[in-house]
Amino acid sequence: MKRMSQSPTDPSFVQNPYPFYDAARATSDFIWWDEYNMACAVSHEMVHKVLRDRRMGRECPAELAPNVPAHLKPFFDVEAHSMLELEPPRHTRLRALVLRAFTSRTIAGLEPTIRALCHDLIDAFTDQPFDLLTNYAQPVPVVIISRLLGVPEDRADDLVRWSNAMVAMYQARRTPQIEANAIAATNDFVDFMRGYIAERRKTPTDDLISTLIAAEEDGARLSEDELITTCILLLNAGHEATVHTLGNGTKTLLEHGVTQITDAAVEEIIRFDPPLHMFTRWVYEDVTLGAHTFKRGDQIACLLGAANRDPAAHPKPNTFDPARSGPQNTSFGGGIHFCVGAPLARLELRVALDVLLERCPNIKLEGTPQYGDVYHFHGLDRLMVSTGTPS
């Protein structure tokens, strides 16, 4: 496979990674990305295959498990119980328990709550230019996942701060200071969740945390550590990607003059400029994919942003088409690790964008939005807009 070099923190790449993806896809289904020292699947077909091939998975083979430095242990102790990082049978048990609490009926029932929240946030908009990320895109998913879990909304600022610090551990710009911030956030988050779970054990309600405490699968409940990690994962994942997608999507809609939101437009937003661009898999047994053979212990990165712009799957992929139909995008992953929160994310995007465009028909960008240095995530630093007086 062709070796390619591209710094993931280079400013030009941060602002527009898609030319690199186009060049990578032109070579074959795989490239070798020097900066990551890893093979990367770049075509829609191959990313789709790798995500669903059970000869690969998220959990590191036992013989290759790294020695975690003592100062990073609190963070990785939490990650050790994350269903995002596990394979069957532990993954199967954890996901089944979460799905019992995260039902489609529960999610669908949130629409009036999401819509009311969006109206409340828009009522507070100023008539001066402001950052739509902090005033709209961020509060919507943070408040909703907090309500779903039963976490006090007055802790939303803490949740955002802790979450941002923890997910920075997966960014290419990771530094010792970022690590220190992540450890502090992890300790604070765990302490908060441990105390709150203790309260819910004594006084259960109809929230998701109480449901997870009570949920059983073949007689096996979530352990305390599993419960804490699962709540942290749902809080982090339940807002981080949606904030980026709401920001990226609003930017795209305004740049293209789109004034109405449909389900097709939501899917196109998720395809066109997704919030997560890389998701890795470990190889568990020797496997040949296309023209390339991989050995146990190899890692393969699925470049979701590249797969979503593959012309073999999506004609004119670099064109935003809100009426597009075609193969499913890869933004929510695939296989047994397909995003549990995908239905909630789609609902939040549809409702939040629908209400925004309805209430603020004169909304416009103020300046050129800039993406943050957060790869392998992809989201804006801020999104300055003016709306006039909301209707």
Side-chain angles (χ1 to χ4, degrees):
M1 67 186 69
K2 183 176 180 179
R3 303 180 69 101
M4 297 186 70
S5 176
Q6 172 61 65
S7 168
T9 61
D10 179 77
S12 61
F13 176 83
V14 168
Q15 296 309 312
N16 186 8
Y18 298 106
F20 171 70
Y21 296 155
D22 289 344
R25 253 191 341 267
T27 65
S28 72
D29 289 325
F30 288 98
I31 63 159
W32 185 270
W33 195 341
D34 283 341
E35 280 74 9
Y36 281 96
N37 195 32
M38 193 182 304
C40 299
V42 293
S43 68
H44 184 276
E45 179 183 11
M46 192 55 68
V47 166
H48 184 87
K49 284 182 179 179
V50 173
L51 288 173
R52 289 159 177 78
D53 196 317
R54 293 302 303 131
R55 293 171 294 181
M56 291 165 275
R58 290 286 296 169
E59 194 167 355
C60 178
E63 71 273 16
L64 297 175
N67 292 319
V68 176
H71 71 285
L72 298 181
K73 193 171 184 297
F75 177 85
F76 287 102
D77 281 349
V78 169
E79 292 294 283
H81 301 288
S82 171
M83 64 180 175
L84 185 63
E85 307 298 338
L86 297 173
E87 293 299 309
R90 285 191 68 194
H91 173 272
T92 306
R93 181 175 64 86
L94 288 171
R95 189 177 176 99
L97 289 168
V98 169
L99 286 174
R100 283 192 176 191
F102 219 75
T103 66
S104 57
R105 181 178 179 181
T106 299
I107 301 307
L110 290 171
E111 179 164 352
T113 300
I114 299 170
R115 193 169 293 275
L117 172 62
C118 292
H119 280 290
D120 289 344
L121 291 168
I122 290 173
D123 287 342
F125 283 0
T126 176
D127 60 1
Q128 299 298 312
F130 65 94
D131 183 5
L132 194 74
L133 291 186
T134 56
N135 288 278
Y136 193 71
Q138 189 176 86
V140 170
V142 172
V143 170
I144 293 303
I145 194 63
S146 297
R147 290 178 181 176
L148 186 62
L149 279 163
V151 174
E153 290 175 39
D154 61 7
R155 300 302 298 269
D157 288 345
D158 288 330
L159 297 176
V160 170
R161 179 167 51 82
W162 296 335
S163 177
N164 288 341
M166 290 183 72
V167 300
M169 287 286 282
Y170 295 104
Q171 296 170 6
R173 66 187 181 96
R174 179 171 153 183
T175 63
Q177 185 58 57
I178 285 175
E179 292 178 350
N181 294 343
I183 298 306
T186 300
N187 289 332
D188 289 344
F189 213 156
V190 168
D191 288 345
F192 167 73
M193 288 309 311
R194 196 178 300 280
Y196 197 73
I197 288 168
E199 291 181 24
R200 278 291 170 263
R201 288 190 190 280
K202 295 176 184 177
T203 56
T205 66
D206 61 353
D207 59 44
L208 184 55
I209 290 177
S210 299
T211 305
L212 288 172
I213 290 171
E216 289 194 49
E217 179 70 19
D218 297 328
R221 296 177 184 265
L222 288 167
S223 70
E224 177 93 343
D225 288 339
E226 288 173 338
L227 187 56
I228 290 170
T229 293
T230 299
C231 289
I232 290 176
L233 172 64
L234 292 174
L235 282 162
N236 287 355
H239 90 271
E240 189 77 25
T242 307
V243 172
H244 289 327
T245 312
L246 265 174
N248 297 356
T250 302
K251 166 185 175 290
T252 300
L253 293 177
L254 296 181
E255 287 176 339
H256 291 81
V258 178
T259 59
Q260 288 187 324
I261 288 297
T262 63
D263 289 342
V266 169
E267 292 304 306
E268 178 69 346
I269 284 169
I270 296 168
R271 178 201 74 84
F272 185 74
D273 205 19
L276 176 66
H277 279 213
M278 177 188 286
F279 203 47
T280 57
R281 289 289 192 271
W282 289 96
V283 176
Y284 294 146
E285 59 183 86
D286 294 358
V287 56
T288 298
L289 298 168
H292 306 284
T293 298
F294 299 92
K295 302 292 185 182
R296 176 176 172 82
D298 289 343
Q299 264 192 300
I300 298 175
C302 294
L303 298 191
L304 311 180
N308 284 348
R309 296 284 189 106
D310 187 346
H314 304 285
K316 297 182 179 179
N318 293 318
T319 298
F320 180 76
D321 178 5
R324 185 187 296 273
S325 62
Q328 184 175 2
N329 63 72
T330 63
S331 300
F332 289 117
I336 66 169
H337 289 288
F338 184 82
C339 178
V340 169
L344 176 58
R346 287 185 167 109
L347 178 62
E348 289 174 333
L349 288 167
R350 178 173 60 80
V351 173
L353 292 170
D354 181 55
V355 174
L356 180 67
L357 294 178
E358 175 191 345
R359 291 285 309 277
C360 303
N362 298 316
I363 185 172
K364 63 179 182 179
L365 295 173
E366 293 289 340
T368 302
Q370 297 293 302
Y371 290 92
D373 181 11
V374 295
Y375 198 83
H376 52 245
F377 302 101
H378 184 64
L380 298 168
D381 265 337
R382 62 178 186 167
L383 182 60
M384 298 300 295
V385 300
S386 59
T387 62
T389 302
S391 62

